[in-house]
Amino acid sequence: MRKPLIVGNWKMNNSTAESVDLAEKLKKTVKDMAGVEVVVAPPFTALGSVRDAIKGSNIKLSAQNVFWEDKGAYTGEVSPLMIRDLDCEYVIIGHSERREYFKESDEIVNKKIKAALRNKLKAIVCVGESLKEREEDKTMQVIESQIRKGLEGILNSELRTTNHEVRLVIAYEPVWAIGTGRNATPSQANEVHAYIRKLLSQIFNEDIASNIKILYGGSVKPSNSAELMSEKEIDGALVGGASLDTDSFAQIVRSACMV
Ligand code: 13P
């Protein structure tokens, strides 16, 4: 049984003070919500302050990106060691905004996942098709290619933690549903999730593959989260816009506790 996971991706929003304010409000709102794992991904500049704000709560910390080397002359980049140093447990890798605006290829995504795993971070790896690809009926082909290339060369042993968790989460985020208000229907998402699960069981052993959580992302909001979460193959959500509002995010977390 996979415990539901809700991740708030704050993207490039909020000053440090605003981030701390949001984290503190959230800490109070979700404190009694059991049976669900809650993670926030503030911008790099606010990670340290948010880490302090959520100390002792049931909220965990994620970075939104990472570089693939541990240190060196890479001006402006942030290494997995630095992220660990800020007590991040998770890191988001291969978000479609990074693939699109920063030309992150599957090869880059693969290097970043390996760097995260080497440093004992849990990687939340994003995959998803564009509108054009969906209309051309290429969704499964695109997903398969992103999953196989992104996870190439990663061993079962690299994913297993000491407390029987798995260091990999997949987020299915159809590009046409991100920030558009247009979400995939629960059955559309479930179909892709089932396909991802099948691919994972071809790549990893059954014990690992069956424990990898698959999240849905793309215009998740309180009005659609319960329905999405009730689908068998949807283990949680990667939430953008709605995670910037305490009440909306808390309602989404609540809908995952009730599954
Ligand atoms: P929205 O929830 O704003 O559509 O963003 C989804 C997303 O990209 C989360 O990573």
Side-chain angles (χ1 to χ4, degrees):
M1 183 63 190
R2 296 177 294 268
K3 187 176 180 178
L5 167 64
I6 305 293
V7 183
N9 176 9
W10 296 359
K11 305 194 180 185
M12 199 179 70
N13 293 293
N14 289 345
S15 65
T16 299
E18 287 164 340
S19 295
V20 168
D21 187 51
L22 179 56
E24 293 200 324
K25 284 188 186 136
L26 206 54
K27 186 163 115 173
K28 291 190 196 114
T29 335
V30 303
K31 86 172 179 332
D32 296 321
M33 297 189 194
V36 57
E37 192 178 352
V38 183
V39 176
V40 293
F44 282 132
T45 48
L47 279 175
S49 306
V50 170
R51 182 256 323 259
D52 296 342
I54 60 177
K55 206 163 251 164
S57 77
N58 56 346
I59 305 174
K60 297 172 175 176
L61 198 59
S62 175
Q64 297 177 16
N65 182 28
V66 69
F67 191 57
W68 61 76
E69 294 290 346
D70 290 353
K71 60 179 184 172
Y74 302 103
T75 303
E77 289 298 327
V78 177
S79 97
L81 284 176
M82 296 165 181
I83 290 170
R84 285 277 312 181
D85 190 42
L86 289 165
D87 297 338
C88 285
E89 185 171 325
Y90 286 91
V91 58
I92 298 171
I93 295 176
H95 192 281
S96 65
E97 287 149 16
R98 298 214 56 88
R99 292 179 189 258
E100 184 183 350
Y101 304 131
F102 305 98
K103 305 291 167 243
E104 283 193 9
S105 62
D106 291 317
E107 290 68 29
I108 289 177
V109 168
N110 181 258
K111 287 210 269 187
K112 291 187 170 192
I113 299 171
K114 287 178 175 163
L117 297 176
R118 182 171 75 233
N119 286 284
K120 310 285 183 244
L121 289 158
K122 293 178 183 157
I124 303 172
V125 179
C126 304
V127 296
E129 81 287 2
S130 66
L131 183 59
K132 183 165 176 284
E133 288 160 344
R134 176 157 282 264
E135 284 172 350
E136 290 173 355
D137 217 9
K138 291 191 182 141
T139 300
M140 300 308 186
Q141 198 182 317
V142 170
I143 298 297
E144 173 155 10
S145 171
Q146 289 176 340
I147 292 272
R148 288 200 186 277
K149 289 184 186 161
L151 300 178
E152 202 175 304
I154 292 166
L155 308 173
N156 289 299
S157 57
E158 292 173 275
L159 297 187
R160 189 43 100 199
T161 68
T162 44
N163 57 356
H164 299 290
E165 290 177 338
V166 177
R167 274 198 192 95
L168 178 66
V169 173
I170 304 291
Y172 169 54
E173 298 208 308
V175 178
W176 48 272
I178 297 176
T180 57
R182 179 182 166 191
N183 61 292
T185 64
S187 70
Q188 273 175 329
N190 198 57
E191 188 190 9
V192 179
H193 283 222
Y195 186 66
I196 294 173
R197 176 80 54 209
K198 191 175 107 188
L199 291 171
L200 292 173
S201 60
Q202 292 168 5
I203 300 171
F204 300 111
N205 71 34
E206 208 37 49
D207 177 40
I208 297 284
S210 62
N211 280 298
I212 297 172
K213 294 175 192 180
I214 307 175
L215 312 182
Y216 169 76
S219 298
V220 176
K221 35 189 187 276
S223 59
N224 60 23
S225 60
E227 207 190 350
L228 283 160
M229 237 65 83
S230 68
E231 289 290 337
K232 185 168 167 284
E233 300 293 339
I234 301 181
D235 300 320
L238 180 53
V239 186
S243 71
L244 296 170
D245 177 81
T246 316
D247 292 336
S248 299
F249 189 66
Q251 281 182 57
I252 294 168
V253 173
R254 192 172 296 113
S255 68
C257 314
M258 301 200 285
V259 181

PDB file of all heavy atoms in Angstrom, residues 227-248:
ATOM      1  N   GLU A 227     -11.593  13.520  -6.789  1.00  0.00           N
ATOM      2  CA  GLU A 227     -11.920  12.629  -7.896  1.00  0.00           C
ATOM      3  C   GLU A 227     -10.636  12.019  -8.501  1.00  0.00           C
ATOM      4  O   GLU A 227     -10.572  10.832  -8.790  1.00  0.00           O
ATOM      5  CB  GLU A 227     -12.665  13.442  -8.956  1.00  0.00           C
ATOM      6  CG  GLU A 227     -13.592  12.606  -9.793  1.00  0.00           C
ATOM      7  CD  GLU A 227     -14.130  13.392 -10.996  1.00  0.00           C
ATOM      8  OE1 GLU A 227     -13.928  14.628 -11.049  1.00  0.00           O
ATOM      9  OE2 GLU A 227     -14.709  12.760 -11.868  1.00  0.00           O
ATOM     10  N   LEU A 228      -9.615  12.873  -8.665  1.00  0.00           N
ATOM     11  CA  LEU A 228      -8.343  12.373  -9.206  1.00  0.00           C
ATOM     12  C   LEU A 228      -7.742  11.331  -8.258  1.00  0.00           C
ATOM     13  O   LEU A 228      -7.317  10.257  -8.663  1.00  0.00           O
ATOM     14  CB  LEU A 228      -7.361  13.525  -9.407  1.00  0.00           C
ATOM     15  CG  LEU A 228      -7.611  14.409 -10.631  1.00  0.00           C
ATOM     16  CD1 LEU A 228      -6.919  15.760 -10.481  1.00  0.00           C
ATOM     17  CD2 LEU A 228      -7.127  13.714 -11.917  1.00  0.00           C
ATOM     18  N   MET A 229      -7.754  11.679  -6.983  1.00  0.00           N
ATOM     19  CA  MET A 229      -7.110  10.823  -5.975  1.00  0.00           C
ATOM     20  C   MET A 229      -7.823   9.486  -5.788  1.00  0.00           C
ATOM     21  O   MET A 229      -7.234   8.545  -5.278  1.00  0.00           O
ATOM     22  CB  MET A 229      -7.071  11.569  -4.638  1.00  0.00           C
ATOM     23  CG  MET A 229      -5.703  11.731  -4.074  1.00  0.00           C
ATOM     24  SD  MET A 229      -4.648  12.757  -5.102  1.00  0.00           S
ATOM     25  CE  MET A 229      -5.140  14.368  -4.564  1.00  0.00           C
ATOM     26  N   SER A 230      -9.084   9.445  -6.173  1.00  0.00           N
ATOM     27  CA  SER A 230      -9.823   8.185  -5.979  1.00  0.00           C
ATOM     28  C   SER A 230      -9.457   7.152  -7.044  1.00  0.00           C
ATOM     29  O   SER A 230      -9.813   5.985  -6.935  1.00  0.00           O
ATOM     30  CB  SER A 230     -11.326   8.442  -5.979  1.00  0.00           C
ATOM     31  OG  SER A 230     -11.707   8.841  -7.279  1.00  0.00           O
ATOM     32  N   GLU A 231      -8.731   7.572  -8.075  1.00  0.00           N
ATOM     33  CA  GLU A 231      -8.318   6.607  -9.107  1.00  0.00           C
ATOM     34  C   GLU A 231      -7.245   5.671  -8.544  1.00  0.00           C
ATOM     35  O   GLU A 231      -6.340   6.107  -7.831  1.00  0.00           O
ATOM     36  CB  GLU A 231      -7.751   7.351 -10.327  1.00  0.00           C
ATOM     37  CG  GLU A 231      -8.781   8.093 -11.135  1.00  0.00           C
ATOM     38  CD  GLU A 231      -9.733   7.188 -11.905  1.00  0.00           C
ATOM     39  OE1 GLU A 231      -9.361   6.031 -12.177  1.00  0.00           O
ATOM     40  OE2 GLU A 231     -10.844   7.649 -12.219  1.00  0.00           O
ATOM     41  N   LYS A 232      -7.350   4.420  -8.925  1.00  0.00           N
ATOM     42  CA  LYS A 232      -6.491   3.376  -8.370  1.00  0.00           C
ATOM     43  C   LYS A 232      -4.998   3.650  -8.560  1.00  0.00           C
ATOM     44  O   LYS A 232      -4.183   3.422  -7.673  1.00  0.00           O
ATOM     45  CB  LYS A 232      -6.875   2.067  -9.064  1.00  0.00           C
ATOM     46  CG  LYS A 232      -6.193   0.842  -8.557  1.00  0.00           C
ATOM     47  CD  LYS A 232      -6.873  -0.395  -9.121  1.00  0.00           C
ATOM     48  CE  LYS A 232      -6.036  -1.636  -8.890  1.00  0.00           C
ATOM     49  NZ  LYS A 232      -4.900  -1.724  -9.808  1.00  0.00           N
ATOM     50  N   GLU A 233      -4.639   4.157  -9.730  1.00  0.00           N
ATOM     51  CA  GLU A 233      -3.211   4.299 -10.045  1.00  0.00           C
ATOM     52  C   GLU A 233      -2.634   5.673  -9.660  1.00  0.00           C
ATOM     53  O   GLU A 233      -1.472   5.937  -9.904  1.00  0.00           O
ATOM     54  CB  GLU A 233      -2.977   4.064 -11.540  1.00  0.00           C
ATOM     55  CG  GLU A 233      -3.397   2.688 -12.039  1.00  0.00           C
ATOM     56  CD  GLU A 233      -2.530   1.574 -11.469  1.00  0.00           C
ATOM     57  OE1 GLU A 233      -1.403   1.851 -11.026  1.00  0.00           O
ATOM     58  OE2 GLU A 233      -2.996   0.426 -11.460  1.00  0.00           O
ATOM     59  N   ILE A 234      -3.466   6.547  -9.104  1.00  0.00           N
ATOM     60  CA  ILE A 234      -2.973   7.894  -8.752  1.00  0.00           C
ATOM     61  C   ILE A 234      -2.638   7.924  -7.259  1.00  0.00           C
ATOM     62  O   ILE A 234      -3.498   7.776  -6.412  1.00  0.00           O
ATOM     63  CB  ILE A 234      -4.006   8.973  -9.147  1.00  0.00           C
ATOM     64  CG1 ILE A 234      -4.265   8.897 -10.664  1.00  0.00           C
ATOM     65  CG2 ILE A 234      -3.530  10.367  -8.727  1.00  0.00           C
ATOM     66  CD1 ILE A 234      -5.249   9.928 -11.201  1.00  0.00           C
ATOM     67  N   ASP A 235      -1.340   8.115  -6.984  1.00  0.00           N
ATOM     68  CA  ASP A 235      -0.866   8.028  -5.597  1.00  0.00           C
ATOM     69  C   ASP A 235      -0.737   9.384  -4.919  1.00  0.00           C
ATOM     70  O   ASP A 235      -0.247   9.464  -3.793  1.00  0.00           O
ATOM     71  CB  ASP A 235       0.516   7.345  -5.564  1.00  0.00           C
ATOM     72  CG  ASP A 235       0.479   5.946  -6.145  1.00  0.00           C
ATOM     73  OD1 ASP A 235      -0.504   5.228  -5.887  1.00  0.00           O
ATOM     74  OD2 ASP A 235       1.420   5.581  -6.871  1.00  0.00           O
ATOM     75  N   GLY A 236      -1.106  10.442  -5.622  1.00  0.00           N
ATOM     76  CA  GLY A 236      -0.982  11.764  -5.030  1.00  0.00           C
ATOM     77  C   GLY A 236      -0.895  12.813  -6.114  1.00  0.00           C
ATOM     78  O   GLY A 236      -1.208  12.535  -7.275  1.00  0.00           O
ATOM     79  N   ALA A 237      -0.441  14.012  -5.715  1.00  0.00           N
ATOM     80  CA  ALA A 237      -0.449  15.118  -6.675  1.00  0.00           C
ATOM     81  C   ALA A 237       0.770  16.010  -6.529  1.00  0.00           C
ATOM     82  O   ALA A 237       1.316  16.173  -5.437  1.00  0.00           O
ATOM     83  CB  ALA A 237      -1.714  15.949  -6.481  1.00  0.00           C
ATOM     84  N   LEU A 238       1.181  16.556  -7.664  1.00  0.00           N
ATOM     85  CA  LEU A 238       2.200  17.611  -7.693  1.00  0.00           C
ATOM     86  C   LEU A 238       1.431  18.878  -8.066  1.00  0.00           C
ATOM     87  O   LEU A 238       0.911  18.996  -9.175  1.00  0.00           O
ATOM     88  CB  LEU A 238       3.288  17.269  -8.721  1.00  0.00           C
ATOM     89  CG  LEU A 238       4.437  18.256  -8.894  1.00  0.00           C
ATOM     90  CD1 LEU A 238       5.122  18.596  -7.574  1.00  0.00           C
ATOM     91  CD2 LEU A 238       5.493  17.689  -9.854  1.00  0.00           C
ATOM     92  N   VAL A 239       1.340  19.788  -7.095  1.00  0.00           N
ATOM     93  CA  VAL A 239       0.421  20.923  -7.218  1.00  0.00           C
ATOM     94  C   VAL A 239       1.203  22.212  -7.432  1.00  0.00           C
ATOM     95  O   VAL A 239       2.114  22.514  -6.660  1.00  0.00           O
ATOM     96  CB  VAL A 239      -0.423  21.054  -5.922  1.00  0.00           C
ATOM     97  CG1 VAL A 239      -1.492  22.129  -6.086  1.00  0.00           C
ATOM     98  CG2 VAL A 239      -1.035  19.716  -5.523  1.00  0.00           C
ATOM     99  N   GLY A 240       0.870  22.972  -8.450  1.00  0.00           N
ATOM    100  CA  GLY A 240       1.520  24.259  -8.700  1.00  0.00           C
ATOM    101  C   GLY A 240       0.713  25.384  -8.076  1.00  0.00           C
ATOM    102  O   GLY A 240       0.735  25.595  -6.862  1.00  0.00           O
ATOM    103  N   GLY A 241      -0.040  26.087  -8.900  1.00  0.00           N
ATOM    104  CA  GLY A 241      -0.785  27.285  -8.477  1.00  0.00           C
ATOM    105  C   GLY A 241      -1.536  27.139  -7.166  1.00  0.00           C
ATOM    106  O   GLY A 241      -1.423  28.009  -6.275  1.00  0.00           O
ATOM    107  N   ALA A 242      -2.270  26.046  -7.006  1.00  0.00           N
ATOM    108  CA  ALA A 242      -3.105  25.897  -5.802  1.00  0.00           C
ATOM    109  C   ALA A 242      -2.276  25.675  -4.536  1.00  0.00           C
ATOM    110  O   ALA A 242      -2.802  25.788  -3.425  1.00  0.00           O
ATOM    111  CB  ALA A 242      -4.100  24.752  -5.994  1.00  0.00           C
ATOM    112  N   SER A 243      -0.974  25.399  -4.688  1.00  0.00           N
ATOM    113  CA  SER A 243      -0.163  25.197  -3.480  1.00  0.00           C
ATOM    114  C   SER A 243       0.279  26.530  -2.876  1.00  0.00           C
ATOM    115  O   SER A 243       0.849  26.573  -1.785  1.00  0.00           O
ATOM    116  CB  SER A 243       1.068  24.329  -3.789  1.00  0.00           C
ATOM    117  OG  SER A 243       2.015  25.028  -4.570  1.00  0.00           O
ATOM    118  N   LEU A 244       0.019  27.623  -3.587  1.00  0.00           N
ATOM    119  CA  LEU A 244       0.408  28.944  -3.069  1.00  0.00           C
ATOM    120  C   LEU A 244      -0.662  29.514  -2.141  1.00  0.00           C
ATOM    121  O   LEU A 244      -0.472  30.570  -1.538  1.00  0.00           O
ATOM    122  CB  LEU A 244       0.652  29.911  -4.237  1.00  0.00           C
ATOM    123  CG  LEU A 244       1.819  29.533  -5.153  1.00  0.00           C
ATOM    124  CD1 LEU A 244       1.835  30.402  -6.394  1.00  0.00           C
ATOM    125  CD2 LEU A 244       3.151  29.635  -4.403  1.00  0.00           C
ATOM    126  N   ASP A 245      -1.780  28.821  -2.044  1.00  0.00           N
ATOM    127  CA  ASP A 245      -2.862  29.261  -1.173  1.00  0.00           C
ATOM    128  C   ASP A 245      -3.063  28.186  -0.090  1.00  0.00           C
ATOM    129  O   ASP A 245      -3.336  27.033  -0.410  1.00  0.00           O
ATOM    130  CB  ASP A 245      -4.149  29.431  -2.007  1.00  0.00           C
ATOM    131  CG  ASP A 245      -5.319  29.818  -1.141  1.00  0.00           C
ATOM    132  OD1 ASP A 245      -5.425  31.011  -0.821  1.00  0.00           O
ATOM    133  OD2 ASP A 245      -6.111  28.935  -0.749  1.00  0.00           O
ATOM    134  N   THR A 246      -2.903  28.588   1.160  1.00  0.00           N
ATOM    135  CA  THR A 246      -2.936  27.614   2.258  1.00  0.00           C
ATOM    136  C   THR A 246      -4.205  26.775   2.243  1.00  0.00           C
ATOM    137  O   THR A 246      -4.157  25.550   2.356  1.00  0.00           O
ATOM    138  CB  THR A 246      -2.880  28.336   3.626  1.00  0.00           C
ATOM    139  OG1 THR A 246      -1.906  29.351   3.551  1.00  0.00           O
ATOM    140  CG2 THR A 246      -2.545  27.395   4.749  1.00  0.00           C
ATOM    141  N   ASP A 247      -5.351  27.444   2.141  1.00  0.00           N
ATOM    142  CA  ASP A 247      -6.611  26.691   2.235  1.00  0.00           C
ATOM    143  C   ASP A 247      -6.765  25.715   1.081  1.00  0.00           C
ATOM    144  O   ASP A 247      -7.189  24.582   1.273  1.00  0.00           O
ATOM    145  CB  ASP A 247      -7.809  27.647   2.276  1.00  0.00           C
ATOM    146  CG  ASP A 247      -7.813  28.441   3.572  1.00  0.00           C
ATOM    147  OD1 ASP A 247      -7.211  27.943   4.557  1.00  0.00           O
ATOM    148  OD2 ASP A 247      -8.382  29.540   3.602  1.00  0.00           O
ATOM    149  N   SER A 248      -6.427  26.168  -0.122  1.00  0.00           N
ATOM    150  CA  SER A 248      -6.562  25.278  -1.278  1.00  0.00           C
ATOM    151  C   SER A 248      -5.646  24.065  -1.130  1.00  0.00           C
ATOM    152  O   SER A 248      -6.056  22.925  -1.353  1.00  0.00           O
ATOM    153  CB  SER A 248      -6.186  25.996  -2.573  1.00  0.00           C
ATOM    154  OG  SER A 248      -7.035  27.071  -2.769  1.00  0.00           O
TER     155      SER A 248
END
